[in-house]
Amino acid sequence: MKTATKIITIDGPAASGKTSVSRMLAQRHGWAWVSTGAFYRGLAYVAKREGVSLEDESALAKLCASNLWEVRMSDQCTLVFLHGHDVTSEIYSEESGAAASSISRFPEVRANLLEAQRACANGVVGLVAEGRDCGTVVFPEADFKIYLTAGSANRAARRAKEEGRDLEETKKAQVLRDLQDSSRQTAPMQVPPDAHVIDSSGLDLNEVVEILEKLTRKELEL
Ligand code: DC
């Protein structure tokens, strides 16, 4: 259903720069921003802390609706709270990304996180949402859809530098995660048919944001 809220979605593979780009784009437009990966990362973290197996689909699906934990939007980082404590700093490693990717293959989990993801668009003028299925499943009626990608060497170098990790190890982990995310049955990562595809290889963050700001201002008449 179309709402008054303007929505831009940015999907793409791991470390394509979509988190930084989408956050900055939201700032430029004065809109809200959400990284939907936080829902999967948060759930995997909470499951581990609560002793729920990452292989138990129905227990994970139940945990989605539990009020033990919640995701909160903020300008700088999509936050996760467990028992009222901010646990965000625990969820953004490549290891947490792998656990998030693993549980994201479960259809019941995806279905149960959808409502909270969509609720991010409630009561805001505009929203930039990034993830893997934002343009295809979460907000199929989005006003503007972007698929942000970059060469795999480029992406691995970016993440290895961010986390101070070995380049080859990072590359292997990303290849595996992208394969998992794009080959799952439910809501696989894919280019939405009506998306603008941007390859950020060789461009810095500001250059990508400039391109997208111009494009979205023009197309959405902002
Ligand atoms: O974007 P990210 O690295 O924070 O996402 C972590 C994992 O969560 C990703 O590998 C797959 C899953 N995910 C998803 O399935 N759908 C989304 N919209 C966002 C993330």
Side-chain angles (χ1 to χ4, degrees):
M1 195 184 57
K2 231 26 193 167
T3 62
T5 305
K6 293 264 187 229
I7 298 174
I8 296 173
T9 58
I10 305 189
D11 292 305
S16 56
K18 57 188 190 312
T19 301
S20 312
V21 167
S22 58
R23 178 174 47 213
M24 253 172 105
L25 187 64
Q27 280 166 3
R28 300 260 179 117
H29 289 321
W31 289 4
W33 167 71
V34 65
S35 174
T36 56
F39 287 85
Y40 296 94
R41 289 172 180 267
L43 178 63
Y45 175 78
V46 171
K48 276 192 201 155
R49 284 275 301 265
E50 297 296 312
V52 170
S53 161
L54 297 187
E55 294 302 316
D56 188 341
E57 180 172 5
S58 64
L60 288 167
K62 231 186 234 167
L63 203 53
C64 293
S66 144
N67 56 12
L68 286 183
W69 72 290
E70 64 172 323
V71 172
R72 291 187 204 160
M73 288 192 288
S74 89
D75 293 350
Q76 292 304 317
C77 190
T78 304
L79 308 169
V80 174
F81 283 75
L82 173 62
H83 298 297
H85 297 290
D86 186 346
V87 296
T88 313
S89 62
E90 310 285 329
I91 67 163
Y92 282 107
S93 65
E94 186 54 43
E95 199 186 341
S96 301
S101 170
S102 170
I103 61 160
S104 74
R105 75 186 189 278
F106 294 127
E108 275 187 68
V109 164
R110 302 200 71 84
N112 286 6
L113 291 177
L114 210 48
E115 197 185 329
Q117 291 174 359
R118 288 185 175 147
C120 295
N122 293 346
V124 296
V125 182
L127 175 74
V128 181
E130 66 94 343
R132 302 291 184 296
D133 63 342
C134 290
T136 49
V137 176
V138 185
F139 297 114
E141 303 282 340
D143 298 274
F144 198 83
K145 299 180 186 178
I146 296 156
Y147 189 85
L148 188 64
T149 187
S152 62
N154 223 282
R155 294 190 286 117
R158 183 178 292 160
R159 190 50 56 85
K161 194 173 163 200
E162 268 170 20
E163 294 193 3
R165 289 176 60 144
D166 177 69
L167 181 60
E168 279 313 306
E169 239 179 60
T170 308
K171 203 171 186 174
K172 264 191 217 154
Q174 273 179 8
V175 167
L176 192 69
R177 186 141 76 95
D178 290 342
L179 183 69
Q180 243 173 211
D181 291 345
S182 54
S183 63
R184 66 177 174 234
Q185 296 268 310
T186 310
M189 171 175 74
Q190 57 185 319
V191 183
D194 43 353
H196 290 69
V197 179
I198 306 281
D199 188 331
S200 70
S201 312
L203 298 174
D204 69 22
L205 174 61
N206 274 310
E207 289 170 324
V208 180
V209 174
E210 282 295 322
I211 293 170
L212 294 182
E213 187 186 356
K214 267 196 197 131
L215 201 57
T216 49
R217 282 203 188 281
K218 183 166 170 261
E219 295 288 327
L220 302 180
E221 298 174 0
L222 298 171

